[in-house]
Amino acid sequence: MSDTAILWFRQDLRLTDHPALDAVAQRRILPVYILEDGPWAPGGAARWWLHHSLAALGQDLAQLGAPLVVLRGDPRRLIPDLATRVAATEVHAGRRTEPAGRRCDAETHAALEVIGARLVLHRTALLHEPHQVRTGAGAPYGVYTPFSRNVFASLEGLPPPLPTPGRLVAVPGAPVGLGLDALDLLPQPPVPDWAAGFGDHWQPGEAGAAARLAAFLDHGLAAYGDRRNDPGAPWGTSGLSPHLHLGEVSPRQVWHAAKAKGGKGLETFQKEMLWREFSHHLLWHRPEMPEAPLRADFAAFPWRPDASVLRAWQRGRTGYPIVDAGMRQLWQTGWMHNRVRMITASFLVKHLLQPWQDGEAWFWDTLVDADLAANAASWQWVAGCGADAAPYFRIFNPVLQGEKFDPSGRYVRRWCPELAALPDRWIHRVHEAPDVVLRGAGITLGRQYPAPLVDLAAGRARALAAFAAIKGDAAA
C-alpha cells in the first residue's frame, strides 16, 4: 500500500471527529474538495454557506500543513487523475446518501480500480448506516417511531468523537487547485447581493459550529421541549442544521455533547436529530423521493399550478402574517423556524394547491441548510404523500397556528414590521380587524399589507375535494 492517500471532503467539512481523516492522518495526504454539477447541485443560499465553509476549512488545513485543493468538475475523471499524479492507492471519503452522489461514488470506485486504487468510504455525516437499519422482517423502515426506537437503542454504545489530528503531512508537489472565487458560489454583479445580511446571522465553518453548539447547550437545550415551537423564542431551536448539513460538526459530537449536558429538553432534541437520520434512511431506500411522491396515488393529484400564486407565497405576500413572516425570514436569513416551515408548506400545498415540488425547489434554493433528504422527506410529509406522512386532511390553519405558537406576535412583528402597531388580538387576523384598528396601525389592506390570497374555509374545502378525487380514482 502506498504511503500517500487522497482525502476527499464532501459533506464533512471539519477536522474533528472525521473518520476518513483519522484513517489517513499518519500518511502523506492530498485533501481535496470538488464542486460537482448535475442534479440537485447546491442552491443559492447553500452555495453562499459553502463558500465560507470551504474558506474556513482551507485555513484550518493549511495551519496543520496540508492545504486544501479545490476543484470543479466530474470526480469520476478528476479523482483517478489526481490519484495517478500523486501515486495514491487509496481515496478516503464520507459515505453519501444522495442518489447522484451514490452513482458517482460507484463509478469513481470502478475508475480507480482500473489504475490499481480504491475508494474507501466512512460514516462521517450520520449516526447510523441507512442501509443497515432494518425491521424485524428485514425490510427498511417506513414509519418514524419504530425507526427511532431501533436507532436510539443502537446508540447506547456510540463511540466518543475522534480527536482533531495534529500536524498533517502534505503530498510533495501537490497540484494547485482553483481559488474559491473561481467556483462562483457567491452572488455576482449585476445580480444584487441578496445574501448581504446572512453574515449577521451565521458563522459558517467548524469554529462557528462549535460556538453555536456551545451556546445552544448553555441557553437552549434545557427548555428545548417547551420552546422549540415558539418561532420568536431566543434559542428555541439549536440553529445547527446548516452546520450539520455540511458536516462542520458531526452528529456524533452533537449527540454526545447534548447527552453530557442533559436536562429535560434532551430527549426531545435527540428525537429531532433522529428525524434527520430517518430522512436519510428514506432517501437511501427510496431514491425517487426528491421528485416523485412515495404514495403512488398522489401521482394523479389535481394540483393547480399558478406562477403568480407561487410568487406571492415566495415573497411573503399571502395576507396571512405567520406565513409571510416565515417566508421573509427565509429570504433575509436563509433559514426558517421549523414550526413555521410546516405552516408555510401546508399553506402552499393545501390551501393554495401548488405542487409540493415547487415548494421543495424554493426551499432548496433559499435555505442555507438545504439537505436533499430532509427537504424532500419533510415536504412529502406535509403534503401527505410521503412515508409516515401527515394525513392529507390535516390542514394547518395559519391563523390558529399563529395564535397558538406566536400569541404575542413577537415573530410576526419582527419579520412583517408593517404590522408592528397592531394589537395582539389582531396581529394574526389582519383581514378581520376593524377599519379603525387598521387605520390606527397605518394599514390599508392591499397597500401596506396584502389582502388574503385565499379564503381559508374555501381553500380547505378545495383541498379536501382534491384529495377525495384521488381516493376515488384509487378505488375505481
Side-chain angles (χ1 to χ4, degrees):
M1 180 177 67
S2 167
D3 197 39
T4 298
I6 292 174
L7 176 60
W8 182 8
F9 285 94
R10 282 101 77 90
Q11 289 169 289
D12 40 29
L13 306 185
R14 64 180 184 274
L15 301 182
T16 303
D17 195 35
H18 198 303
L21 171 57
D22 185 70
V24 299
Q26 304 305 314
R27 300 161 67 178
R28 292 192 300 269
I29 66 168
L30 178 67
V32 175
Y33 180 86
I34 301 173
L35 180 63
E36 302 173 48
D37 297 315
W40 297 104
R47 290 167 69 87
W48 174 88
W49 192 290
L50 177 61
H51 175 97
H52 296 288
S53 187
L54 287 173
L57 177 66
Q59 292 176 357
D60 293 344
L61 281 167
Q63 290 177 355
L64 293 184
L68 179 67
V69 175
V70 176
L71 300 171
R72 180 174 191 167
D74 187 344
R76 295 168 295 184
R77 177 183 61 82
L78 293 173
I79 289 294
D81 286 352
L82 286 173
T84 299
R85 290 179 63 180
V86 301
T89 56
E90 290 185 346
V91 177
H92 289 254
R95 184 173 288 103
R96 301 191 280 191
T97 59
E98 297 83 355
R102 290 172 62 187
R103 288 193 299 270
C104 175
D105 288 352
E107 293 170 12
T108 302
H109 179 75
L112 285 168
E113 283 189 323
V114 172
I115 62 170
R118 65 180 184 136
L119 177 62
V120 183
L121 298 178
H122 304 261
R123 184 169 73 244
T124 62
L126 296 170
L127 291 167
H128 80 293
E129 295 287 11
H131 56 286
Q132 291 180 348
V133 180
R134 298 279 178 167
T135 67
Y141 281 95
V143 178
Y144 167 75
T145 300
F147 167 87
S148 65
R149 291 197 191 105
N150 184 324
V151 174
F152 199 100
S154 73
L155 295 176
E156 284 299 318
L158 185 68
L162 297 165
T164 307
R167 291 289 296 176
L168 298 173
V169 179
V171 173
V176 177
L178 302 172
L180 273 183
D181 289 342
L183 299 184
D184 293 327
L185 296 172
L186 301 178
Q188 300 294 328
V191 176
D193 187 3
W194 44 263
F198 284 13
D200 296 335
H201 302 274
W202 303 107
Q203 181 190 347
E206 187 169 6
R212 173 74 66 165
L213 174 58
F216 171 67
L217 295 178
D218 287 342
H219 304 296
L221 180 60
Y224 182 79
D226 299 324
R227 295 193 303 205
R228 69 188 181 94
N229 280 313
D230 180 351
W235 291 107
T237 65
S238 70
L240 287 168
S241 53
H243 298 289
L244 281 165
H245 170 63
L246 280 181
E248 297 167 345
V249 63
S250 75
R252 183 161 61 178
Q253 288 174 277
V254 176
W255 187 271
H256 276 293
K259 189 174 181 180
K261 185 71 173 181
K264 67 176 185 177
L266 174 62
E267 184 176 348
T268 304
F269 178 65
Q270 289 176 322
K271 288 179 179 179
E272 289 298 309
M273 290 191 68
L274 294 184
W275 172 260
R276 176 177 181 269
E277 299 281 318
F278 182 56
S279 299
H280 283 269
H281 177 82
L282 291 175
L283 183 60
W284 183 276
H285 295 286
R286 301 294 299 272
E288 75 275 17
M289 186 170 71
E291 288 89 17
L294 298 186
R295 287 182 53 184
D297 53 338
F298 269 81
F301 192 88
W303 303 108
R304 297 190 181 185
D306 185 319
S308 63
V309 168
L310 179 63
R311 185 70 171 175
W313 175 82
Q314 290 172 338
R315 294 305 183 194
R317 303 289 295 172
T318 70
Y320 290 98
I322 193 71
V323 175
D324 294 339
M327 300 308 295
R328 296 184 199 184
Q329 180 188 30
L330 173 61
W331 184 252
Q332 294 177 42
T333 72
W335 186 87
M336 189 195 302
H337 186 276
N338 187 56
R339 166 57 59 174
V340 187
R341 294 189 196 199
M342 292 190 285
I343 298 169
T344 58
S346 175
F347 186 75
L348 181 73
V349 299
K350 295 180 178 176
H351 282 102
L352 300 181
L353 277 188
Q354 301 304 294
W356 62 267
Q357 293 95 333
D358 289 348
E360 177 194 30
W362 184 250
F363 274 24
W364 182 257
D365 196 40
T366 55
L367 282 171
V368 292
D369 63 358
D371 178 274
L372 189 61
N375 196 36
S378 297
W379 273 97
Q380 291 223 34
W381 183 86
V382 170
C385 58
D388 198 17
Y392 191 82
F393 53 80
R394 182 184 182 188
I395 301 173
F396 287 135
N397 181 310
V399 172
L400 298 181
Q401 289 282 306
E403 290 175 338
K404 180 177 181 179
F405 296 111
D406 186 35
S408 69
R410 174 170 53 182
Y411 179 75
V412 164
R413 287 187 173 90
R414 177 175 183 184
W415 301 109
C416 297
E418 69 271 33
L419 303 180
L422 279 174
D424 291 358
R425 178 183 176 185
W426 303 109
I427 192 70
H428 294 289
R429 297 178 179 268
V430 184
H431 56 291
E432 297 177 13
D435 289 343
V436 64
V437 172
L438 292 175
R439 286 197 300 271
I443 297 170
T444 300
L445 289 180
R447 295 183 61 183
Q448 288 81 11
Y449 189 71
L453 199 58
V454 65
D455 176 80
L456 293 181
R460 175 183 172 82
R462 185 177 63 172
L464 292 175
F467 178 58
I470 66 166
K471 296 304 286 184
D473 289 344

